Amino acid sequence: MPHASALLVIDMQNSLVALAYRPAETLAVIAGLRERARAAGVPVVTIQHRGDGMEAGTDGWRIVPELAPTADEAVVHKTSADSFLDTDLDKTLQALGTTEVVITGFATEICVDTTARQALSHRYDVVLVADGHTTSDRTDSGEYASPERSIAHHNEIYRHLDFPGRSIRVLPASEVDFAAAPAPATAADQE
């Protein structure tokens, strides 16, 4: 199957972005990637969470205006951290001919991480956009890692994650090339 990317934009919804760490910077990165993906003919798939405090149709549930999907873009609705669980994400990606998902969104250690790992289990290559995911702004993090540490930690984990037969890359948005096919992963690439 020829290499084909899809950009995933996970949970960039009004109520979640309102509590995000560095929301303006993350929005700008994702919006720029979205524009580049569309220009390259790469599909954009928006993932939208629904649940307590995120009821469908409410303002908090809506995708932020900067990333609002167009009529020709797929939107997948989910009710858990796993964007594949009980959704049509896998079917949507297969219909698009996707072999690699470029992952962005909220929240780093929950929905972004869970979806990235599930993408690998569903046999997709993964690009985690190092500066294109964020978490909640926790000034008093208590038992949690600070937002900076959480993002850095997850980027580093994915740089060293080994998944047989899958390419896993962590790239800043500026290095994401929607036209380039990933090289097969080797043990040296993960170090």
Side-chain angles (χ1 to χ4, degrees):
M1 177 180 278
H3 171 74
S5 295
L7 175 63
L8 299 187
V9 179
I10 302 170
D11 296 352
M12 294 302 287
Q13 297 162 254
N14 289 327
S15 66
L16 299 175
V17 172
L19 56 88
Y21 169 71
R22 295 175 40 122
E25 294 88 340
T26 306
L27 278 170
V29 165
I30 297 172
L33 274 172
R34 188 172 174 275
E35 184 176 308
R36 288 175 34 218
R38 289 184 54 78
V42 169
V44 177
V45 179
T46 299
I47 313 293
Q48 190 171 27
H49 189 79
R50 182 174 36 95
D52 291 339
M54 300 278 293
E55 289 79 13
T58 63
D59 186 57
W61 171 82
R62 288 186 181 83
I63 303 299
V64 293
E66 299 91 332
L67 300 175
T70 61
D72 64 336
E73 291 176 353
V75 178
V76 172
H77 299 278
K78 68 179 183 67
T79 58
S80 76
D82 178 355
S83 298
F84 287 90
L85 181 65
D86 298 328
T87 72
D88 61 355
L89 179 57
D90 193 39
K91 181 179 173 183
T92 299
L93 294 172
Q94 287 179 19
L96 294 168
T98 304
T99 61
E100 171 186 80
V101 290
V102 179
I103 297 182
T104 66
F106 182 91
T108 297
E109 60 281 278
I110 304 171
C111 299
V112 169
D113 178 55
T114 303
T115 298
R117 289 177 191 264
Q118 287 302 315
L120 292 166
S121 291
H122 282 84
R123 305 196 184 287
Y124 295 101
D125 293 330
V126 167
V127 174
L128 178 64
V129 181
D131 51 349
H133 62 95
T134 190
T135 190
S136 56
D137 191 3
R138 306 181 283 262
T139 52
D140 179 19
S141 60
E143 297 295 317
Y144 289 104
S146 69
E148 300 94 339
R149 301 262 315 137
S150 183
I151 293 165
H153 172 82
H154 280 79
N155 286 341
E156 196 60 22
I157 291 292
Y158 278 85
R159 284 186 184 100
H160 297 280
L161 191 61
D162 183 26
F163 207 95
R166 301 277 54 92
S167 169
I168 305 167
R169 299 179 292 155
V170 179
L171 300 173
S174 62
E175 293 180 19
V176 173
D177 182 356
F178 288 110
T186 66
D189 292 335
Q190 300 299 322
E191 295 179 11

